[in-house]
Amino acid sequence: MQKALELAHRAEAAGEVPVGAVIVKNDELIAEGWNQPIISHDASSHAEIIAMREAGKKLKNYRLVDTVMYVTLEPCSMCVGAMIHARVEKVVYGASEPRTGALGGAFNLLQANDHNHRFEVVSGVMAEDSKSLLQGFFKSRRK
């Protein structure tokens, strides 16, 4: 999670919402991403999506079986949907997102009965660090 937080700072430095994500397989970091929708002009360029794209290229497979994603903020529905399709094994996130979080914050996409894949979720890991970074970012934007 520490590496994901470092990536969130990278997003912040670029003027993006500070969210970072990494993907690990067999205890090895295989991919990373940070929010880039503004600079890439692409609404789908969330940290999680960028990390999954990189992992898919590295593994030469869109299925990310036996991987763990660490992300600083609870993923949105777009990202959770992609994680389901990619067959991510586990998602560990920091701060909860009560407005758009799709793993229990606003709603829980994994509770939909029709999905043929579910993954383990661990929440609140380094949550205060993630939350402080996000709050500081938005506070500075409102000034």
Side-chain angles (χ1 to χ4, degrees):
M1 186 62 85
Q2 185 60 46
K3 178 64 175 175
L5 275 167
E6 291 171 19
L7 295 166
H9 283 285
R10 190 169 178 177
E12 179 183 40
E16 300 279 359
V17 175
V19 178
V22 298
I23 298 178
V24 173
K25 182 171 179 141
N26 299 325
D27 296 323
E28 176 189 348
L29 177 70
I30 63 165
E32 60 185 41
W34 60 92
N35 268 8
Q36 300 177 41
I38 297 168
I39 59 176
S40 69
H41 310 290
D42 179 358
S44 69
S45 290
H46 288 193
E48 302 95 307
I49 300 295
I50 292 169
M52 284 188 283
R53 287 176 182 155
E54 185 177 308
K57 288 176 184 173
K58 181 164 187 172
L59 297 175
K60 295 181 177 29
N61 194 335
Y62 75 102
R63 299 284 196 211
L64 306 179
V65 177
D66 299 324
T67 61
V68 179
M69 179 177 295
Y70 296 85
V71 60
T72 58
L73 182 65
E74 179 182 356
C76 71
S77 58
M78 172 184 69
C79 293
V80 171
M83 291 169 192
I84 290 168
H85 289 289
R87 305 297 195 264
V88 171
E89 180 180 320
K90 181 178 182 179
V91 174
V92 179
Y93 71 86
S96 294
E97 173 48 277
R99 292 184 181 167
T100 61
L103 292 175
F107 57 95
N108 192 334
L109 194 56
L110 292 180
Q111 291 178 344
N113 293 328
D114 294 335
H115 293 305
N116 61 350
H117 176 73
R118 286 180 172 64
F119 49 79
E120 181 182 349
V121 177
V122 177
S123 61
V125 176
M126 298 183 75
E128 284 305 314
D129 294 321
S130 297
K131 185 177 177 181
S132 294
L133 180 59
L134 287 158
Q135 286 175 335
F137 174 80
F138 287 113
K139 186 176 184 179
S140 71
R141 293 289 195 168
R142 288 190 286 270
K143 288 184 178 180

